[in-house]
Amino acid sequence: MPDEKKSLSDTIRAAIEQDILSGKLPSGTQLEEQQLLTRFNVSRTPVREALIQLESAGLVDLVPRQGAIVASISLREYVAMSEILVQLEALAARLAARRISVQQRKAIQSAQDACRAAAEQADGDAYRKANDAFHQAIYEASCNDILSRQIRTMRARMRGMRDLRFEKPARIRASLAEHEQVLEAILRGSEDDAGAAMVRHIATGGDVYADMIASMPGDAGRARTRR
């Protein structure tokens, strides 16, 4: 019986986690217990165990009298995560340069083609989706599931901050050019160049903003959730 409970709670945790990582459940979303009971057709125990696991992973906040809420972060936390994320992304690019398969080469190139098409139309929403696919293809090519999971989890926690990166055509064009540098280095098999290109790509335009927020006294406030 304990094994069955554990299996149920793990299944529920994995399903909710995937919804959070994919953006289906953005920061600030309240997880109604009754809806979860109905969705998974289970008793309260495995649902509550799953939510406790998600809280331990930093994906959910369990708030008294409010229940479970998809975690938000402060601006200071956002900056701290950005500083870590750039190194994780660089590692993924380095590993991809070393391990990429023929099929994975095609996937990254296809994602970059989608980025280019969106950039030509100055379509920020389309570029954002293609950009996510480009990075996801690199995570897959790194052949490191733990690294991929860490990056996706961190990005999910940062997703509550309104994404303004691709609202200006100039930034879209710059991002596309940075992608080309990352892609070229990966396909050439140069780990050092791929890592360095990824660092430049992730960090571009972020240092001044990061320094400004990090120097603010106290808590700079909670990240705004998407509507």
Side-chain angles (χ1 to χ4, degrees), residues 53 71 107 163 184 200 207:
Q53 292 175 34
D163 191 347
E184 187 276 333
R200 290 193 297 271
D207 288 343

Side-chain angles (χ1 to χ4, degrees), residues 73-143:
I73 59 174
S74 68
L75 293 175
R76 188 182 295 275
E77 289 170 328
Y78 186 92
V79 170
M81 288 184 182
S82 296
E83 292 172 343
I84 297 170
L85 181 65
V86 68
Q87 300 303 324
L88 295 180
E89 293 269 6
L91 177 57
R94 290 178 61 91
L95 292 176
R98 184 196 311 173
R99 300 171 175 172
I100 190 168
S101 68
V102 173
Q103 195 61 36
Q104 289 163 345
R105 284 171 174 262
K106 293 179 180 177
I108 294 178
Q109 186 64 67
S110 177
Q112 178 66 347
D113 290 343
C115 287
R116 185 176 298 104
E120 289 173 354
Q121 298 297 319
D123 187 333
D125 289 338
Y127 189 86
R128 186 175 291 106
K129 292 177 182 177
N131 177 72
D132 288 346
F134 178 83
H135 285 272
Q136 183 61 45
I138 292 175
Y139 309 155
E140 294 293 332
S142 76
C143 301

Side-chain angles (χ1 to χ4, degrees), residues 16-227:
I16 298 173
E17 181 180 271
Q18 181 56 38
D19 286 347
I20 294 173
L21 296 181
S22 68
K24 185 177 180 180
L25 293 174
S27 298
T29 300
Q30 186 164 6
L31 303 176
E32 298 285 351
E33 185 178 87
Q34 189 57 52
Q35 291 181 0
L36 296 176
L37 296 179
T38 300
R39 173 183 175 184
F40 297 106
N41 193 27
V42 294
S43 65
R44 283 184 170 82
T45 299
V47 167
R48 289 176 177 175
E49 289 175 351
L51 293 175
I52 290 172
Q53 292 175 34
L54 290 167
E55 181 186 39
S56 297
L59 293 176
V60 163
D61 292 327
L62 297 180
V63 183
R65 294 184 297 279
Q66 294 185 45
I69 299 174
V70 178
S72 297
I73 59 174
S74 68
L75 293 175
R76 188 182 295 275
E77 289 170 328
Y78 186 92
V79 170
M81 288 184 182
S82 296
E83 292 172 343
I84 297 170
L85 181 65
V86 68
Q87 300 303 324
L88 295 180
E89 293 269 6
L91 177 57
R94 290 178 61 91
L95 292 176
R98 184 196 311 173
R99 300 171 175 172
I100 190 168
S101 68
V102 173
Q103 195 61 36
Q104 289 163 345
R105 284 171 174 262
K106 293 179 180 177
I108 294 178
Q109 186 64 67
S110 177
Q112 178 66 347
D113 290 343
C115 287
R116 185 176 298 104
E120 289 173 354
Q121 298 297 319
D123 187 333
D125 289 338
Y127 189 86
R128 186 175 291 106
K129 292 177 182 177
N131 177 72
D132 288 346
F134 178 83
H135 285 272
Q136 183 61 45
I138 292 175
Y139 309 155
E140 294 293 332
S142 76
C143 301
N144 187 316
D145 292 340
I146 294 177
L147 175 62
S148 177
R149 181 184 177 86
Q150 288 294 322
I151 294 174
R152 291 192 305 118
T153 298
M154 187 166 291
R155 282 195 173 278
R157 295 196 64 197
M158 296 169 70
R159 194 171 282 124
M161 186 72 69
R162 187 182 176 195
D163 191 347
L164 301 175
R165 291 172 298 165
F166 306 127
E167 291 195 353
K168 294 183 178 180
R171 178 55 201 149
I172 294 177
R173 292 192 297 271
S175 175
L176 182 68
E178 292 156 14
H179 279 192
E180 289 290 355
Q181 294 175 1
V182 173
L183 178 62
E184 187 276 333
I186 289 176
L187 297 184
R188 182 161 42 86
S190 174
E191 297 178 41
D192 290 343
D193 288 350
M198 183 61 82
V199 167
R200 290 193 297 271
H201 173 51
I202 300 297
T204 295
D207 288 343
V208 173
Y209 178 75
D211 292 343
M212 177 185 72
I213 299 300
S215 65
M216 288 183 177
D219 188 358
R222 304 297 289 179
R224 289 185 295 176
T225 56
R226 285 182 175 176
R227 299 297 182 189

